[in-house]
Amino acid sequence: MHALDLSIFYSLYHLSGHSMWSDWLIVCIAEYIPYVIIVAVVYAAYQAWRSKKKKEVLGYSLALLSGIVARGVAGLIRFFYHHPRPFVSLHLISLFPENSYSFPSGHAIFYFALASGVYQVNKRFGRILYGLAFLIGLARVAAGVHYPSDILAGAILGVLIAKTLFGLCGNNEK
């Protein structure tokens, strides 16, 4: 399994370091698109609030809360399990600095939880967010700051946490 993880890592990592433009695109997707996603979800919640759609406002709020809770779970896991980032353990150059442990990916767990929560409210928007979360994960591997297994674990945990939170709150799919 480790050999497969490394093979996929190197395949994606080799996309970086060839040109200023490809590196810029990887960094943009990995570091800046996430902020756009948060603004889009907050804007969707605001639009629902303006339209007096209380159930949607609650759903978007719960989606954001799912991401926050999931991010906390990632921090808790990292507190007990110390897995160095690939650029540290493989002595590579990353496209941007990261100084925490890599497993699970905090970005993946947050954005997959957020996408899962949004999917409960708006399936089309949720599918778009799943796609963007996947791209963010790929870009973070290409940047050298995560292994594919970090992203996969974050994605699975994020989805499970959001589904659990929505289930506990009785806010299931329409």
Side-chain angles (χ1 to χ4, degrees):
M1 189 65 163
H2 182 66
L4 178 62
D5 203 24
L6 280 176
S7 175
I8 295 169
F9 169 78
Y10 279 118
S11 295
L12 291 169
Y13 179 73
H14 281 61
L15 296 173
S16 67
H18 296 292
S19 77
M20 178 179 67
W21 298 110
S22 65
D23 289 353
W24 175 84
L25 182 62
I26 291 167
V27 170
C28 183
I29 293 169
E31 288 285 285
Y32 303 116
I33 294 297
Y35 295 111
V36 174
I37 292 171
I38 292 171
V39 169
V41 173
V42 169
Y43 181 74
Y46 171 73
Q47 288 297 93
W49 176 77
R50 283 191 62 210
S51 302
K52 302 198 185 324
K53 297 177 180 175
K54 288 183 180 180
K55 190 170 183 170
E56 284 186 24
V57 173
L58 178 62
Y60 286 123
S61 300
L62 198 51
L64 286 163
L65 180 63
S66 295
I68 293 166
V69 168
R71 190 63 171 98
V73 169
L76 189 62
I77 292 169
R78 288 178 180 179
F79 182 76
F80 292 105
Y81 179 68
H82 302 149
H83 191 255
R85 293 192 178 266
F87 72 90
V88 173
S89 59
L90 301 173
H91 307 291
L92 302 169
I93 297 171
S94 68
L95 293 183
F96 47 86
E98 287 285 347
N99 57 8
S100 61
Y101 294 111
S102 72
F103 184 89
S105 167
H107 280 75
I109 200 170
F110 179 90
Y111 288 100
F112 275 94
L114 183 64
S116 294
V118 168
Y119 185 82
Q120 301 293 319
V121 180
N122 181 327
K123 294 199 181 331
R124 182 174 176 265
F125 189 24
R127 282 192 288 274
I128 290 168
L129 293 186
Y130 275 127
L132 290 172
F134 180 72
L135 281 175
I136 290 167
L138 291 178
R140 294 187 68 79
V141 174
V145 297
H146 280 294
Y147 292 102
S149 58
D150 300 336
I151 304 300
L152 181 61
I156 292 168
L157 288 170
V159 169
L160 290 174
I161 290 166
K163 294 272 188 193
T164 301
L165 209 55
F166 269 76
L168 288 174
C169 293
N171 197 345
N172 297 323
E173 294 181 53
K174 292 181 184 177

